[in-house]
Structure formats: structure tokens, C-alpha cells
Amino acid sequence: MAAVPFGASAQGMLPGCRLENGSLQCVPGLTASPEKQIQVLDGQINQGLQQEGHLEQAIQGLQRFVLVGEAREGALLKAELQLQGADVDELEVHWYRRSGQGNWTLVESGSGHSYQVGPQDRDDRLMAVLVVRGRDGKVQRTSSNVIGPISD
């Protein structure tokens, strides 16, 4: 957490105090009672716990990310996801292809929650990656199950 200059007041911070390495440093004569200082620190801890809880909810929601559809040319694959209680600002689905034991490569034409399997996917495996950006700016990625190899 950034330090608040002595004499300044930040949201939830006491005048004449700053938080330095988890310790409240205050100028004598400008601070409130020890009880008030404890209340401020408790408020900051509760705020941190709430943010952690939102992040955990987002992670739990991301565990419900799955591809459905048939592993055949012409089929429509769909990414099904459910984000319950997640504080999400934006999400994107990216599609990837893998030939044999090679590396996963981004499918340039694949974006959105569905993907039309084409002849270029024959004998390959497909998966999707969900990218979620929370309102706090944190980015999380999770991959789906793998479908394939793709047949005619």
C-alpha cells in the first residue's frame, strides 16, 4: 500500500498517519486514540478480505468453463461458462489448435463463445482459453477441456 504523507488524510486513514510495511506510523499530537487507530486498521483488513473473497469467487466461477460439441469437421463447438458472483469487467475467449504433440497455436479466426470446426482442423485438437479481467484490473486465464482429434 502506498504511504500517505504525514498530515494528509486518505480514505479510511487517520490524519497525521501513514501505513508503512503493515505498521501504522503517526505523528504525536495529530492522531486519534489507539482505539480509533485499531478501528481504521480493522477496516483496511476487512476491505482486503472482501477483495480476496471476490477473487476467490471469480476463480470458482472459472472452474465451470467447458467446451461442448462434436470432434468432427463442420461441427459447432461452444464454450459454456458460468461466472457466479464474479466482479468481472471484461472477458474474452481465445481458441487454440494443436497438431500431434506440437505446441498449441492461436487460431486467428477463432474468437467468441463458439467456433466452427473447419478442414484446417482435421486430425488436430482444439481448446479454448478464457481471459477474465476484473474491475480491479487483475487478469486471470483458464483453459477448457480439449476436444479432438477432429475427424471428417
Side-chain angles (χ1 to χ4, degrees):
M1 173 174 258
V4 176
F6 284 115
S9 178
Q11 181 180 5
M13 187 58 74
L14 297 170
C17 296
R18 65 179 174 193
L19 192 61
E20 222 174 80
N21 297 326
S23 174
L24 190 62
Q25 304 295 316
C26 299
V27 174
L30 295 179
T31 62
S33 68
E35 291 83 13
K36 179 65 176 167
Q37 292 177 20
I38 291 170
Q39 288 175 353
V40 168
L41 290 174
D42 281 344
Q44 291 175 344
I45 290 169
N46 287 337
Q47 183 181 13
L49 290 174
Q50 286 176 351
Q51 289 172 344
E52 180 182 345
H54 289 300
L55 186 57
E56 285 176 3
Q57 286 177 352
I59 291 168
Q60 289 170 357
L62 293 179
Q63 292 174 349
R64 292 182 203 78
F65 178 57
V66 64
L67 292 186
V68 295
E70 293 182 46
R72 64 174 175 75
E73 189 178 330
L76 184 66
L77 300 181
K78 293 184 180 180
E80 291 186 353
L81 59 118
Q82 189 175 21
L83 297 174
Q84 294 180 340
D87 194 14
V88 174
D89 191 36
E90 117 187 32
L91 59 87
E92 299 174 10
V93 177
H94 301 279
W95 294 83
Y96 288 84
R97 174 186 307 122
R98 183 169 116 180
S99 297
Q101 297 299 318
N103 294 326
W104 288 100
T105 57
L106 180 66
V107 176
E108 296 295 333
S109 62
S111 65
H113 294 267
S114 60
Y115 177 75
Q116 186 77 44
V117 179
Q120 71 279 6
D121 301 312
R122 191 172 298 134
D123 299 324
D124 291 347
R125 289 171 171 73
L126 297 167
M127 77 166 176
V129 173
L130 179 65
V131 180
V132 178
R133 181 181 318 275
R135 290 199 172 90
D136 59 1
K138 292 185 181 183
V139 175
Q140 297 225 334
R141 292 174 179 81
T142 191
S143 58
S144 70
N145 55 311
V146 175
I147 291 188
I150 304 299
S151 62
D152 297 359

